[in-house]
Amino acid sequence: MNATVHKTLVMELQAGVTDRFPVLTHLSYDPADPFAVTLAFSHDGRILARWRLDRGMLADGLTRPVGTGDVRLRPESRGVERELRMEFLGETHADGGRHHAVVFAWAGTVGDFLCDTFRSVPPCSEETRLDDFLTEVLAGH
């Protein structure tokens, strides 16, 4: 059985045009769901938001802009270091606008995490358990 991969790191949440604030982020990868990576943003022991991202999209976002929907990723330079910019669009406000968050992570740290997931389940070797998925859907889970 392949091992679950976890990593905890500090990312930066953008506030306004230039301000950034640290946010503790837990990345996890479960080989039973081989196409997804979960990011859980927390503060004072409480989960503020949880997003499931496509593992391939996350890897692609390290080298080029990806995403046109609720999640958009792209690499950016910050001095000599490379960052991964993650933009998340959430639920609609009462005024019709949408919740919006931009988070930055060091690209190397995210890349290291992804390398660990690729050791657990190499790219293009992921298996989908369609029968298990259909059983869950039909059971109403």
Side-chain angles (χ1 to χ4, degrees):
M1 178 79 182
N2 298 336
T4 301
V5 179
H6 297 281
K7 185 164 199 72
T8 300
L9 61 138
V10 176
M11 293 187 182
E12 292 182 322
L13 174 65
Q14 183 173 321
V17 177
T18 58
D19 292 335
R20 292 184 181 188
F21 298 95
V23 60
L24 191 62
T25 308
H26 309 278
L27 285 76
S28 62
Y29 175 78
D30 183 351
D33 187 7
F35 295 101
V37 169
T38 300
L39 283 73
F41 301 99
S42 66
H43 180 69
D44 287 338
R46 292 182 44 230
I47 300 295
L48 303 174
R50 186 183 319 262
W51 285 84
R52 289 185 56 196
L53 305 180
D54 177 270
R55 180 173 74 154
M57 180 181 174
L58 186 59
D60 289 345
L62 292 171
T63 59
R64 64 182 175 84
V66 293
T68 57
D70 294 343
V71 178
R72 298 172 188 156
L73 310 173
R74 73 174 186 239
E76 289 194 358
S77 293
R78 186 173 187 192
V80 295
E81 294 291 330
R82 304 270 305 159
E83 290 183 314
L84 174 62
R85 181 185 192 273
M86 296 177 275
E87 182 176 2
F88 301 99
L89 297 171
E91 296 178 7
T92 304
H93 295 252
D95 66 5
R98 292 182 74 183
H99 291 279
H100 179 252
V102 177
V103 180
F104 294 88
W106 293 118
T109 304
V110 175
D112 291 345
F113 169 79
L114 286 170
C115 284
D116 291 344
T117 73
F118 295 147
R119 276 191 287 280
S120 179
V121 177
C124 302
S125 71
E126 299 95 339
E127 292 181 16
T128 55
R129 295 188 171 95
L130 190 55
D131 291 338
D132 294 342
F133 172 73
L134 289 175
T135 300
E136 270 188 52
V137 168
L138 295 173
H141 294 257

